[in-house]
Amino acid sequence: KNFRILDIGCAKGFFVHDLCCSKKNIDVFGIDISDYALKNCHPDVVGKLHLGDARNLPFPDNSFDLIFSINVIHNFNQLECKKAIKEMIRVSRNKSKMFIQVDAYENKKDLELFKKWVLTAKTCLKPKQWKSLFAEVGYTGDYYWTILKQI
């Protein structure tokens, strides 16, 4: 009861919608920087999505029980990545109930492919470097990465 979830970088709110449909006793919210996405969101999530920036979340401390940030954090430079992650930590009630997915690479060939395909990312690190960045800001939630591979 009163379980609150936040999707950072929710776009048009499809994940928010799916989470809302999964359980009746949870409150799910989304935040996105795109006014266009929010104005064209799924009709069932109108009022649950907010315009805002991951680097300055418009929510009080300890507001959410579970937080997702999928393919968002890497769109900032490293300093801003840290700021966004610290914001996630700030609004989280349970510091281990967070999930971040970012882009990463393992070798020079992967990085070259990444730069050709991922146009919005400003930070791409090796998994080990992401782990160091997470540790530096005190992030204790779960994480994973997408690594592009040339076949």
Side-chain angles (χ1 to χ4, degrees):
K1 192 171 183 164
N2 299 323
F3 194 83
R4 293 168 51 95
I5 299 173
L6 176 63
D7 178 17
I8 298 172
C10 66
K12 293 182 179 182
F14 293 109
F15 187 44
V16 171
H17 175 266
D18 290 348
L19 290 170
C20 287
C21 291
S22 69
K23 296 278 185 188
K24 298 298 179 204
N25 59 345
I26 60 173
D27 287 324
V28 186
F29 300 92
I31 186 166
D32 203 278
I33 200 164
S34 170
D35 189 47
Y36 171 83
L38 300 182
K39 286 181 179 175
N40 293 280
C41 71
H42 191 289
D44 291 349
V45 296
V46 169
K48 293 186 170 291
L49 307 184
H50 302 274
L51 184 65
D53 191 313
R55 296 164 293 188
N56 188 21
L57 295 172
F59 304 106
D61 295 357
N62 306 310
S63 296
F64 296 96
D65 300 288
L66 181 60
I67 301 174
F68 294 93
S69 179
I70 300 171
N71 295 328
V72 173
I73 300 297
H74 58 247
N75 292 320
F76 303 121
N77 67 41
Q78 280 192 45
L79 185 62
E80 293 169 325
C81 287
K82 293 174 187 177
K83 184 169 175 47
I85 295 167
K86 287 178 183 177
E87 278 292 281
M88 286 179 70
I89 295 167
R90 181 185 66 77
V91 300
S92 175
R93 289 182 189 152
N94 184 335
K95 307 311 178 202
S96 65
K97 300 284 185 189
M98 297 178 280
F99 177 78
I100 295 174
Q101 174 142 353
V102 290
D103 289 333
Y105 69 97
E106 292 176 332
N107 55 53
K108 190 174 179 178
K109 192 174 180 181
D110 292 347
L111 181 59
E112 289 172 9
L113 182 64
F114 171 85
K115 288 178 178 180
K116 290 179 184 175
W117 281 96
V118 184
L119 304 178
T120 59
K122 293 182 180 174
T123 299
C124 185
L125 304 172
K126 292 181 176 181
K128 188 176 186 178
Q129 293 169 310
W130 277 116
K131 288 179 185 180
S132 292
L133 187 145
F134 294 154
E136 182 182 332
V137 297
Y139 180 78
T140 56
D142 289 323
Y143 51 82
Y144 204 71
W145 26 80
T146 303
I147 298 176
L148 297 177
K149 292 278 188 192
Q150 191 164 356
I151 301 174

